[in-house]
Amino acid sequence: MEDFIQQVINGISLGSIFALIALGYTMVYGIIGLINFAHGDILMIGAYIGYAVTTYTNWGFFPALILAMAGCTILGVLIEKIAYKPLRKATRIAALITAIGVSFFLEYTMMYFVGAAKRGYPANVLSDHAFHIGNVVITVQQLYIIIVTVVLMIALQYIVHKTKVGKAMRAVSIDKDAAQLMGISVDRTISYTFAIGSALAGAAGVIFGIYYTSINPLMGMTPGLKAFVAAVFGGIGSIPGAMVGGLSIGVAETMVSGYVPNGSLFKDAVVYGILILILIIKPSGLLGKNTKEKV
């Protein structure tokens, strides 16, 4: 039983990272119906900003987190303005191909400037102290990851449900034309959405770097895809669904690694298998809603 609890705690820590990334996917999709496959690479940029802050200054975890979120916020808005806004009325496949192109652009631009070699996060960013409850071990690192994720999710829920920006987002997601007639700036609202989603990806990047201890320019692809699976699993377009999906994928991955012989070799395959199953059984996801679309 203690081993099971340990795996659940490990899964929640990992799933918190996926949940933060999945929130960006689901917010953008909910507003403009775009699967932003460059989102995982914004995480990568955030990880490098956090690495630079923690390596070359005496600043700690929270300054690195804040600067990574700020940098990724600016980057997300620029990507939306330059790459996606001109395609606002184009076909979905054109926007999707553009998102893939932006992903490769970010990866290889970063590789040009920092090189392809892996870089290790400083070991002293967070304390290595651990709390023992019987045979269950909870590290300070895991506590920070979970607490930061919970705080950011609560902040996001507050923004979406209690602020004018959040109300505008919900209005635009339901009916862009009606929202515009009511005086809401659709373009500004979409920019806010990209800004918030990218800030969450930046925070996830710093946490990811600390959790896995190493980063590289191609690191965003796998967690980005897993976060997409989490968003679909929870119901893409649903913020609570992204949270549930991220945590579920994280726990599933650690359970496979912990209990299946050689599970670490095919834990990724299990995640993608979950995607296939959810698309077959319940395409709208756990908390998503079936919608009719006229063609």
Side-chain angles (χ1 to χ4, degrees):
M1 186 63 185
E2 289 180 333
D3 183 59
F4 176 79
I5 293 172
Q6 183 69 68
Q7 294 299 337
V8 170
I9 293 171
N10 296 340
I12 291 173
S13 301
L14 179 60
S16 296
I17 301 172
F18 294 148
L20 284 178
I21 313 170
L23 284 169
Y25 272 116
T26 207
M27 286 176 65
V28 170
Y29 183 85
I31 297 293
I32 60 175
L34 169 68
I35 304 295
N36 181 19
F37 280 119
H39 195 65
D41 297 295
I42 296 176
L43 170 140
M44 177 267 295
I45 300 292
Y48 269 95
I49 294 173
Y51 169 82
V53 172
T54 55
T55 303
Y56 302 115
T57 72
N58 292 322
W59 299 346
F61 172 72
F62 286 107
L65 188 75
I66 292 168
L67 289 174
M69 291 177 70
C72 289
T73 296
I74 296 169
L75 177 63
V77 172
L78 288 175
I79 289 173
E80 191 277 325
K81 293 291 185 186
I82 296 170
Y84 298 143
K85 186 177 179 180
L87 299 174
R88 195 74 52 77
K89 296 183 180 179
T91 60
R92 288 189 179 182
I93 190 65
L96 182 63
I97 292 171
T98 301
I100 295 172
V102 171
S103 173
F104 282 115
F105 176 80
L106 292 176
E107 290 173 1
Y108 290 98
T109 299
M110 182 59 73
M111 190 179 294
Y112 175 80
F113 286 107
V114 304
K118 292 183 178 180
R119 298 184 181 229
Y121 254 65
N124 60 349
V125 177
L126 291 175
S127 171
D128 59 357
H129 183 72
F131 302 94
H132 296 264
I133 305 173
N135 291 326
V136 177
V137 179
I138 304 174
T139 65
V140 170
Q141 180 189 92
Q142 289 174 323
L143 287 176
Y144 268 84
I145 290 172
I146 294 170
I147 290 170
V148 168
T149 301
V150 169
V151 169
L152 290 176
M153 288 181 178
I154 291 172
L156 177 61
Q157 287 290 84
Y158 178 81
I159 290 171
V160 170
H161 293 285
K162 300 295 183 180
T163 67
K164 288 184 178 180
V165 171
K167 291 177 182 178
M169 288 179 183
R170 286 183 284 140
V172 171
S173 69
I174 295 171
D175 192 323
K176 292 184 182 65
D177 294 331
Q180 201 160 17
L181 289 172
M182 296 301 293
I184 295 173
S185 173
V186 173
D187 289 340
R188 190 182 301 120
T189 302
I190 292 173
S191 294
Y192 283 138
T193 304
F194 271 86
I196 295 171
S198 298
L200 294 175
V206 176
I207 294 172
F208 186 94
I210 292 172
Y211 188 86
Y212 284 101
T213 70
S214 68
I215 58 174
N216 67 82
L218 302 180
M219 61 174 275
M221 185 175 296
T222 299
L225 286 174
K226 288 182 179 179
F228 171 68
V229 173
V232 173
F233 180 75
I236 193 160
S238 167
I239 290 176
M243 300 177 195
V244 172
L247 295 175
S248 300
I249 294 297
V251 171
E253 188 170 314
T254 56
M255 288 297 176
V256 170
S257 298
Y259 290 107
V260 178
N262 298 318
S264 59
L265 298 177
F266 56 90
K267 60 182 181 180
D268 293 347
V270 171
V271 173
Y272 303 129
I274 291 173
L275 174 62
I276 294 170
L277 286 176
I278 200 69
L279 290 175
I280 293 173
I281 298 170
K282 196 175 188 298
S284 59
L286 293 179
L287 303 181
K289 296 179 181 179
N290 291 317
T291 57
K292 295 181 180 179
E293 184 174 349
K294 294 181 179 180
V295 296

